[in-house]
Amino acid sequence: MTQSKTIYSFAHGVAEGDAKMRDLLGGKGSNLAEMTNLGIPVPPGFTISTEVCRAFNEGGRQLPAGLEAQVDESIRGLEEATSKKFGDPDHPLLVSVRSGAAVSMPGMMDTILNLGLNEEAVAGLALRSGDKRFAFDAYRRLIQMFGGVVLGIRHSLFEEALGSAKKERSVEADTDLDASALEELVATYLGIFEKESGKKFPADPRTQLLQSIQAVFRSWDNPRARVYRRLNSITGLIGTAVNVQAMVFGNLGDDSGTGVCFTRNPATGADALYGEFLVNAQGEDVVAGIRTPEPIEKLEKHFPQPRKELEGIRVSLEKHYGDMQDIEFTIEEGELFILQTRRGERTAAAALKIACDLLDAGRIDPDTAILRVPPSQLDQVLFPIFDPAEMKKARDEGRLLVRGLNAGPGAASGAMVLSAEAAVRSRERGEASILVRRETSPEDIEGMISAVGVLTATGGLTSHAAVVARGMGKCCVVGCGALQIDEEEGTVRVGETILREGDTISIDGSTGEVITGPLASKPSEVVQVLVDGTLSADESEVYRQFAKILDLADGKRRLGVRANADTPQDARTARAFGAAGIGLCRTEHMFFQEDRILAFREMILAPDEEGRKKALEKLLPAQRGDFAGIFRAMEGLPVTIRLLDPPLHEFLPHDEAALSDVAAALGVGIEEVQRKVESLKEFNPMLGHRGCRLGISFPEIYDMQARAILEAACEVAEEGIKVFPEIMIPLVGTVEELTRLRTRVEEIARITLSEEGQEFPYLIGTMIEVPRAALTADRIAEVADFFSFGTNDLTQMTFGFSR
């Protein structure tokens, strides 16, 4: 272990750590320490550092020597801070155990609450609180959490027992079960625990704690956490910290409660407290989605003083961190406690607004504003949205299935799946799916990644489904209480409507509506402004914020980004989004258009050079028109045009009906077409007669293309538009190939420019995409004006891997 100190305490305004120690204490631990130092009411506790997690994993998954004694010492400090005693039957200290890496990772271990209870302590807690029901409710939660998290006992077994208990007593909610019912339920839970694990529930609080710490460290390397780290490119971390904190209770009656809130709206970025809470509940009830909570706007009605304090904490935390915060809080008998703060996950639209608002307020600088909007999130504001007219039509047709809470961005249609595994299978088949669950948990991470959208029956805007989906940029609707999900039957029922797994549904993350069947979408506001021109910049705040952040980034960037574009429309779109030119225009795509493919096939089937030239003359005007449109769109910017690259067989049909059509259109026998197709077949077409080798065999093809490029450039230059054509010779392997083809292009350029009376700069270069070209690049560079790199072919040929 590299650190002599491994445990850091925080209590009563004094903490041994701070926010700068995120790598060592994890995000949760460092923020608890920071808030403690700020004087915010945080329940006391201690954090076991990430160094211990590394030692645990490197040491055969055993707690390092000396750690248990340090934990015992830290518990004694916590006992002094709370005037309670761990394991005491009269006045027990109960703690929570949470994981917390330097980066928030939803795939890791669930929280364990109420640790320290046993049969004796539960009686003492009942006596001390004066509420037997509360004590047994806390105990049954501990058994379920400890069993599931530490020993892997299926969550559903406990939920089924809870459901049976409610059914026997004809009640709907957990809170309707009285003390005697919960006492019986505890006995049932203990039986499940012993049957599934083969051992009794540990009565010793110290054993509970040490086993829970080990479970946190094990969760660092579980499949869900690995998937999440891979998805989000999280590398370089050494492990997770463990946070042990004195319990405060939101389920002590109607003067207690729990909630999760954001300092701003995570969906829109609006500057106001946003979140939800539950009266008489523990924190996991909110995020687990077991009950649908109330909006934060109603907090003042139940808890006026804590609501006022929470507003002050909202302002101070956001000011201190300079960013929107995600806060967990508990109110115990009217007293407010803050259990956690962290950077709040947000949609792309919210990220843009928050960054721009904080910049305008002078609370962050331009560099920070840029970094507050990850590049991957910018894609989200380009996602299609459902067309309002189509939504109205669906409602009028009675296709509105249910309405929930709008928890994630965008809109999505797909086949309904009821398990994470089914969502993964759908993705593997290339099919879009909507993951429908009662509530999601960390076990569903891979399914959430695979699906295009998430829909849950329970939970609120701060539930697991909502928070994780927002972080992924997934469309998400939660809290649809009318959904009755039967996984065994593979059905979802809403009233009299029954849907089966595989049926298509559509969910709108901005309205919370769920529609049966597919739904047409429309472009995002940004696309409507930049590309379609159907919306003005003044009409779209999202676009203005998008443009502001990109303008700031443009002022800092050192690289230009060119687009791949093969049509004038694609070029205009690329220009609108700030492309610094076109880096690759694939000319082969131009020949597949319906009015051109026949002429190109005529060229392929021609018996001699004269026939090929005759067919190519038909294509020259179309090629020239395409290039002229691209040059106009890219006025003043460079355009790299690659001459024909694929082998000729790719342009010929292969089924008999299509072969007959080609033969009839060209007035030749089908046998002749078939012979030509057979003659052009290659064992490995990606290494065969393509690229510059094709241009050397049939120079008239490249002659026509070079002429079309230069004539188009002259036409556009005549209009007063600056053009910068760059002609790329593809798949060069030797300097001799490039020299030979460059000489022909230069001669065509000399003739064309002379005939048109024009003068403008042009470049002739190549794409380095075979190992021979890479190894002789110094010689090729003497002939080429520029290099481009074809990493696809270069990589596969260098490694010898087939596509």
PDB file of all heavy atoms in Angstrom, residues 241-261:
ATOM      1  N   ALA A 241     -13.609   3.763  -3.653  1.00  0.00           N
ATOM      2  CA  ALA A 241     -13.556   3.986  -2.208  1.00  0.00           C
ATOM      3  C   ALA A 241     -14.800   3.372  -1.572  1.00  0.00           C
ATOM      4  O   ALA A 241     -15.746   2.993  -2.271  1.00  0.00           O
ATOM      5  CB  ALA A 241     -13.484   5.475  -1.902  1.00  0.00           C
ATOM      6  N   VAL A 242     -14.807   3.270  -0.245  1.00  0.00           N
ATOM      7  CA  VAL A 242     -15.974   2.817   0.519  1.00  0.00           C
ATOM      8  C   VAL A 242     -16.355   3.919   1.488  1.00  0.00           C
ATOM      9  O   VAL A 242     -15.504   4.409   2.237  1.00  0.00           O
ATOM     10  CB  VAL A 242     -15.682   1.526   1.310  1.00  0.00           C
ATOM     11  CG1 VAL A 242     -16.934   1.064   2.055  1.00  0.00           C
ATOM     12  CG2 VAL A 242     -15.186   0.429   0.393  1.00  0.00           C
ATOM     13  N   ASN A 243     -17.620   4.302   1.452  1.00  0.00           N
ATOM     14  CA  ASN A 243     -18.115   5.342   2.355  1.00  0.00           C
ATOM     15  C   ASN A 243     -19.018   4.732   3.411  1.00  0.00           C
ATOM     16  O   ASN A 243     -20.029   4.114   3.079  1.00  0.00           O
ATOM     17  CB  ASN A 243     -18.878   6.402   1.555  1.00  0.00           C
ATOM     18  CG  ASN A 243     -17.982   7.090   0.541  1.00  0.00           C
ATOM     19  OD1 ASN A 243     -17.131   7.888   0.901  1.00  0.00           O
ATOM     20  ND2 ASN A 243     -18.160   6.766  -0.729  1.00  0.00           N
ATOM     21  N   VAL A 244     -18.633   4.892   4.665  1.00  0.00           N
ATOM     22  CA  VAL A 244     -19.418   4.400   5.803  1.00  0.00           C
ATOM     23  C   VAL A 244     -19.929   5.631   6.542  1.00  0.00           C
ATOM     24  O   VAL A 244     -19.140   6.478   6.969  1.00  0.00           O
ATOM     25  CB  VAL A 244     -18.561   3.520   6.738  1.00  0.00           C
ATOM     26  CG1 VAL A 244     -19.395   3.036   7.923  1.00  0.00           C
ATOM     27  CG2 VAL A 244     -17.967   2.336   5.961  1.00  0.00           C
ATOM     28  N   GLN A 245     -21.235   5.721   6.697  1.00  0.00           N
ATOM     29  CA  GLN A 245     -21.831   6.956   7.217  1.00  0.00           C
ATOM     30  C   GLN A 245     -22.953   6.623   8.194  1.00  0.00           C
ATOM     31  O   GLN A 245     -23.725   5.675   7.977  1.00  0.00           O
ATOM     32  CB  GLN A 245     -22.378   7.768   6.031  1.00  0.00           C
ATOM     33  CG  GLN A 245     -22.639   9.221   6.324  1.00  0.00           C
ATOM     34  CD  GLN A 245     -22.938   9.999   5.041  1.00  0.00           C
ATOM     35  OE1 GLN A 245     -23.139   9.420   3.968  1.00  0.00           O
ATOM     36  NE2 GLN A 245     -22.973  11.313   5.136  1.00  0.00           N
ATOM     37  N   ALA A 246     -23.024   7.408   9.253  1.00  0.00           N
ATOM     38  CA  ALA A 246     -24.093   7.215  10.237  1.00  0.00           C
ATOM     39  C   ALA A 246     -25.444   7.399   9.569  1.00  0.00           C
ATOM     40  O   ALA A 246     -25.649   8.324   8.788  1.00  0.00           O
ATOM     41  CB  ALA A 246     -23.929   8.200  11.390  1.00  0.00           C
ATOM     42  N   MET A 247     -26.385   6.519   9.885  1.00  0.00           N
ATOM     43  CA  MET A 247     -27.714   6.587   9.297  1.00  0.00           C
ATOM     44  C   MET A 247     -28.516   7.744   9.884  1.00  0.00           C
ATOM     45  O   MET A 247     -28.467   8.018  11.088  1.00  0.00           O
ATOM     46  CB  MET A 247     -28.486   5.291   9.565  1.00  0.00           C
ATOM     47  CG  MET A 247     -28.038   4.095   8.741  1.00  0.00           C
ATOM     48  SD  MET A 247     -28.392   4.268   6.977  1.00  0.00           S
ATOM     49  CE  MET A 247     -30.171   4.533   6.990  1.00  0.00           C
ATOM     50  N   VAL A 248     -29.230   8.422   8.987  1.00  0.00           N
ATOM     51  CA  VAL A 248     -30.332   9.296   9.400  1.00  0.00           C
ATOM     52  C   VAL A 248     -31.555   8.743   8.684  1.00  0.00           C
ATOM     53  O   VAL A 248     -31.453   8.189   7.592  1.00  0.00           O
ATOM     54  CB  VAL A 248     -30.085  10.770   9.037  1.00  0.00           C
ATOM     55  CG1 VAL A 248     -29.024  11.360   9.936  1.00  0.00           C
ATOM     56  CG2 VAL A 248     -29.698  10.942   7.579  1.00  0.00           C
ATOM     57  N   PHE A 249     -32.713   8.891   9.304  1.00  0.00           N
ATOM     58  CA  PHE A 249     -33.892   8.157   8.839  1.00  0.00           C
ATOM     59  C   PHE A 249     -34.986   9.084   8.337  1.00  0.00           C
ATOM     60  O   PHE A 249     -35.418  10.003   9.042  1.00  0.00           O
ATOM     61  CB  PHE A 249     -34.424   7.273   9.960  1.00  0.00           C
ATOM     62  CG  PHE A 249     -33.462   6.184  10.361  1.00  0.00           C
ATOM     63  CD1 PHE A 249     -32.635   6.340  11.461  1.00  0.00           C
ATOM     64  CD2 PHE A 249     -33.370   5.021   9.610  1.00  0.00           C
ATOM     65  CE1 PHE A 249     -31.728   5.359  11.822  1.00  0.00           C
ATOM     66  CE2 PHE A 249     -32.469   4.025   9.968  1.00  0.00           C
ATOM     67  CZ  PHE A 249     -31.641   4.194  11.067  1.00  0.00           C
ATOM     68  N   GLY A 250     -35.391   8.813   7.099  1.00  0.00           N
ATOM     69  CA  GLY A 250     -36.505   9.553   6.534  1.00  0.00           C
ATOM     70  C   GLY A 250     -37.824   8.820   6.707  1.00  0.00           C
ATOM     71  O   GLY A 250     -38.863   9.287   6.211  1.00  0.00           O
ATOM     72  N   ASN A 251     -37.790   7.687   7.388  1.00  0.00           N
ATOM     73  CA  ASN A 251     -39.013   6.896   7.547  1.00  0.00           C
ATOM     74  C   ASN A 251     -39.434   6.780   9.013  1.00  0.00           C
ATOM     75  O   ASN A 251     -39.850   5.732   9.488  1.00  0.00           O
ATOM     76  CB  ASN A 251     -38.838   5.510   6.924  1.00  0.00           C
ATOM     77  CG  ASN A 251     -37.659   4.741   7.493  1.00  0.00           C
ATOM     78  OD1 ASN A 251     -36.736   5.328   8.051  1.00  0.00           O
ATOM     79  ND2 ASN A 251     -37.683   3.423   7.348  1.00  0.00           N
ATOM     80  N   LEU A 252     -39.300   7.907   9.736  1.00  0.00           N
ATOM     81  CA  LEU A 252     -39.712   7.936  11.143  1.00  0.00           C
ATOM     82  C   LEU A 252     -41.109   8.526  11.320  1.00  0.00           C
ATOM     83  O   LEU A 252     -41.489   8.897  12.426  1.00  0.00           O
ATOM     84  CB  LEU A 252     -38.706   8.743  11.958  1.00  0.00           C
ATOM     85  CG  LEU A 252     -37.410   8.005  12.343  1.00  0.00           C
ATOM     86  CD1 LEU A 252     -36.399   8.965  12.939  1.00  0.00           C
ATOM     87  CD2 LEU A 252     -37.707   6.866  13.300  1.00  0.00           C
ATOM     88  N   GLY A 253     -41.848   8.673  10.243  1.00  0.00           N
ATOM     89  CA  GLY A 253     -43.194   9.229  10.335  1.00  0.00           C
ATOM     90  C   GLY A 253     -43.380  10.378   9.362  1.00  0.00           C
ATOM     91  O   GLY A 253     -42.538  10.652   8.497  1.00  0.00           O
ATOM     92  N   ASP A 254     -44.478  11.087   9.493  1.00  0.00           N
ATOM     93  CA  ASP A 254     -44.818  12.135   8.537  1.00  0.00           C
ATOM     94  C   ASP A 254     -43.978  13.398   8.677  1.00  0.00           C
ATOM     95  O   ASP A 254     -44.065  14.295   7.840  1.00  0.00           O
ATOM     96  CB  ASP A 254     -46.302  12.509   8.668  1.00  0.00           C
ATOM     97  CG  ASP A 254     -47.206  11.398   8.159  1.00  0.00           C
ATOM     98  OD1 ASP A 254     -46.689  10.522   7.431  1.00  0.00           O
ATOM     99  OD2 ASP A 254     -48.398  11.401   8.485  1.00  0.00           O
ATOM    100  N   ASP A 255     -43.143  13.492   9.742  1.00  0.00           N
ATOM    101  CA  ASP A 255     -42.234  14.639   9.833  1.00  0.00           C
ATOM    102  C   ASP A 255     -40.853  14.289   9.290  1.00  0.00           C
ATOM    103  O   ASP A 255     -39.882  15.012   9.500  1.00  0.00           O
ATOM    104  CB  ASP A 255     -42.120  15.122  11.286  1.00  0.00           C
ATOM    105  CG  ASP A 255     -41.553  14.058  12.208  1.00  0.00           C
ATOM    106  OD1 ASP A 255     -41.425  12.882  11.781  1.00  0.00           O
ATOM    107  OD2 ASP A 255     -41.252  14.398  13.375  1.00  0.00           O
ATOM    108  N   SER A 256     -40.778  13.145   8.601  1.00  0.00           N
ATOM    109  CA  SER A 256     -39.513  12.700   8.011  1.00  0.00           C
ATOM    110  C   SER A 256     -39.734  12.377   6.532  1.00  0.00           C
ATOM    111  O   SER A 256     -40.859  12.133   6.095  1.00  0.00           O
ATOM    112  CB  SER A 256     -38.988  11.463   8.741  1.00  0.00           C
ATOM    113  OG  SER A 256     -38.802  11.732  10.111  1.00  0.00           O
ATOM    114  N   GLY A 257     -38.646  12.382   5.784  1.00  0.00           N
ATOM    115  CA  GLY A 257     -38.756  12.092   4.360  1.00  0.00           C
ATOM    116  C   GLY A 257     -37.380  12.034   3.721  1.00  0.00           C
ATOM    117  O   GLY A 257     -36.353  12.244   4.371  1.00  0.00           O
ATOM    118  N   THR A 258     -37.382  11.755   2.440  1.00  0.00           N
ATOM    119  CA  THR A 258     -36.119  11.632   1.718  1.00  0.00           C
ATOM    120  C   THR A 258     -36.320  12.069   0.281  1.00  0.00           C
ATOM    121  O   THR A 258     -37.437  12.021  -0.239  1.00  0.00           O
ATOM    122  CB  THR A 258     -35.607  10.178   1.771  1.00  0.00           C
ATOM    123  OG1 THR A 258     -34.296  10.112   1.221  1.00  0.00           O
ATOM    124  CG2 THR A 258     -36.518   9.240   0.986  1.00  0.00           C
ATOM    125  N   GLY A 259     -35.253  12.516  -0.357  1.00  0.00           N
ATOM    126  CA  GLY A 259     -35.408  12.969  -1.730  1.00  0.00           C
ATOM    127  C   GLY A 259     -34.088  13.121  -2.457  1.00  0.00           C
ATOM    128  O   GLY A 259     -33.009  13.018  -1.885  1.00  0.00           O
ATOM    129  N   VAL A 260     -34.214  13.355  -3.741  1.00  0.00           N
ATOM    130  CA  VAL A 260     -33.078  13.636  -4.619  1.00  0.00           C
ATOM    131  C   VAL A 260     -33.437  14.864  -5.424  1.00  0.00           C
ATOM    132  O   VAL A 260     -34.559  14.984  -5.929  1.00  0.00           O
ATOM    133  CB  VAL A 260     -32.790  12.456  -5.565  1.00  0.00           C
ATOM    134  CG1 VAL A 260     -31.647  12.788  -6.512  1.00  0.00           C
ATOM    135  CG2 VAL A 260     -32.477  11.190  -4.781  1.00  0.00           C
ATOM    136  N   CYS A 261     -32.500  15.792  -5.539  1.00  0.00           N
ATOM    137  CA  CYS A 261     -32.804  17.000  -6.302  1.00  0.00           C
ATOM    138  C   CYS A 261     -31.565  17.480  -7.049  1.00  0.00           C
ATOM    139  O   CYS A 261     -30.439  17.077  -6.753  1.00  0.00           O
ATOM    140  CB  CYS A 261     -33.347  18.104  -5.399  1.00  0.00           C
ATOM    141  SG  CYS A 261     -32.164  18.694  -4.168  1.00  0.00           S
TER     142      CYS A 261
END
